[in-house]
Amino acid sequence: MAQDLTVLGLESSCDDTAAAVVRRGADGRGTILSDVVLRQDALHAAFGGVVPEIAARAHAEKIDLAVRQALAEAGLALRDCDAIAVTAGPGLIGGVLAGVMCAKGLAAASGLPLIGVNHLAGHALTPRLTDGLAFPYLMLLVSGGHCQFLRVEGPDAFTRLGGTIDDAPGEAFDKVARLLALPQPGGPAVEACAMTAEAPLRLPRPLLDRPGCDMSFSGLKTAVLRARDAAVANHGGLPRAVRANICAGFQDAVRDVLAEKSRRALARAPVAAFAVAGGVAANGVLRAALRDVARAAGVPFVAPPLALCTDNAAMIAWAGAERLVLGHRDDLTLAARPRWPLDEGATPMLGSGKRGAKA
């Protein structure tokens, strides 16, 4: 399908309601015509985290507004698009369902092809949108709900080399922020606090003593909890300097784990580049360490702009365009999926329930 393709994308897997219009040129290059993200931070601030029911209601109220704004900013009407792509999972099921139902309605009314996109594929393919990266490449997907190394061999061909056996780094950042009475989202708050540290606390580096690319961050959170409780017992509270040292120690531990596991993943098989995506990739300390790993391995390091590291619909529109080129289309039976591993042939890492593998 060597032609220009213009795709409307919808994303609602967590707490950001997003719509975007992306054009894939006949030469395979991508252009973002619009990228709208309606955030829900204020709705969840009082709860210390995302409340699924509140998020789902907000998505249902705002997804059509995001679509209208995205089309207006792109200067296009729906009829000017070639397809509609939507996150069909994984994610909070209420939010995913809101996006899928909206996309189905638009597809039914317009007659445009409907393409269900795995949210993780959106992140994994973002370097092709931003940098035109060639296959295969190594992708470290590191976000609030996911952490895994993927060998990306095509728009729908992913091999998992390793991942977290418990919590994702983004989840750990959020929980550490709550433990230390820092605001949400936790990633930026912990990073900012760590910048003022004078003597970062030495914390464990889980699983570094074991071979392979799997990771663990649950025990690291426990170590932070114990350090906080010890500080409170010794000082009658949590002094600002101690909080900063704990934040820096936690961030350093995550950095060292991700860096070492990245070295191992790069040694597994030749790749064209090492890419990173997901919200945690916005952390400057982690990004710098991963860049050093790529340099040492002699491969280019690709990190999308920070706005495209967090959840957005441009990556969904692009992934939809890549799938459309391969001839993939869905019909109105497209289902919202709370769980949807990219490498479906890999052994589940976090167990499997009634709805399938968690990761």
Side-chain angles (χ1 to χ4, degrees):
M1 189 179 291
Q3 64 182 61
D4 288 353
L5 295 173
T6 302
V7 177
L8 169 67
L10 284 68
E11 154 62 23
S12 57
S13 64
C14 190
D15 61 333
D16 289 332
T17 307
V21 180
V22 169
R23 179 163 294 149
R24 185 188 188 279
D27 59 359
R29 295 184 178 275
T31 304
I32 299 174
L33 304 182
S34 65
D35 187 15
V36 174
V37 180
L38 305 180
R39 303 199 181 280
Q40 301 180 10
D41 295 352
L43 297 177
H44 304 281
F47 304 98
V50 177
V51 181
E53 293 81 1
I54 294 176
R57 188 177 302 117
H59 287 310
E61 293 173 352
K62 295 184 177 181
I63 190 72
D64 59 327
L65 303 178
V67 169
R68 186 178 295 119
Q69 184 177 340
L71 289 170
E73 291 185 6
L76 300 173
L78 185 59
R79 63 178 175 273
D80 299 317
C81 297
D82 296 295
I84 299 168
V86 60
T87 296
L92 301 178
I93 189 60
V96 175
L97 187 60
V100 168
M101 293 305 294
C102 180
K104 285 183 178 181
L106 293 173
S110 64
L112 293 174
L114 174 67
I115 305 171
V117 172
N118 186 311
H119 176 84
L120 307 182
H123 280 302
L125 295 172
T126 296
R128 286 180 51 78
L129 166 62
T130 59
D131 294 81
L133 208 56
F135 300 119
Y137 56 89
L138 176 67
M139 163 60 68
L140 170 57
L141 177 56
V142 55
S143 67
H146 307 278
C147 182
Q148 53 190 295
F149 289 103
L150 297 165
R151 181 179 166 85
V152 185
E153 298 156 344
D156 58 356
F158 307 91
T159 300
R160 193 187 72 216
L161 304 181
T164 178
I165 62 173
D166 42 52
D167 296 340
E171 180 184 1
F173 269 97
D174 286 344
K175 290 183 178 178
V176 165
R178 283 196 287 273
L179 288 173
L180 301 179
L182 293 172
Q184 296 291 324
V190 171
E191 183 179 13
C193 184
M195 290 180 181
T196 65
E198 297 180 356
L201 184 66
R202 178 71 185 181
L203 293 172
R205 271 67 171 162
L207 297 191
L208 283 191
D209 59 340
R210 301 185 191 178
C213 300
D214 289 343
M215 295 160 282
S216 169
F217 297 100
S218 179
L220 188 54
K221 292 185 312 181
T222 303
V224 169
L225 173 62
R226 290 173 178 168
R228 183 206 65 180
D229 290 348
V232 171
N234 292 334
H235 300 282
L238 189 61
R240 183 175 302 175
V242 174
R243 179 188 285 114
N245 289 338
I246 295 175
C247 283
F250 168 77
Q251 183 174 259
D252 287 352
V254 174
R255 176 201 63 200
D256 291 350
V257 169
L258 291 178
E260 174 57 28
K261 299 296 183 173
S262 296
R263 291 187 191 97
R264 298 179 189 180
L266 283 168
R268 291 275 293 271
V271 290
F274 177 32
V276 59
V280 179
N283 183 290
V285 171
L286 302 184
R287 188 179 284 221
L290 297 174
R291 183 180 292 109
D292 289 343
V293 170
R295 184 183 300 113
V299 298
F301 177 72
V302 176
L306 299 185
L308 295 179
C309 282
T310 52
D311 290 350
N312 64 89
M315 68 180 189
I316 302 303
W318 173 258
E322 294 250 70
R323 288 177 60 79
L324 186 61
V325 168
L326 296 180
H328 292 294
R329 297 187 181 196
D330 290 289
D331 56 30
L332 296 183
T333 64
L334 177 67
R337 301 173 63 173
R339 302 174 187 170
W340 189 1
L342 271 182
D343 185 353
E344 301 212 34
T347 302
M349 299 191 65
L350 304 183
S352 184
K354 293 181 178 178
R355 296 190 178 94
K358 295 181 180 179

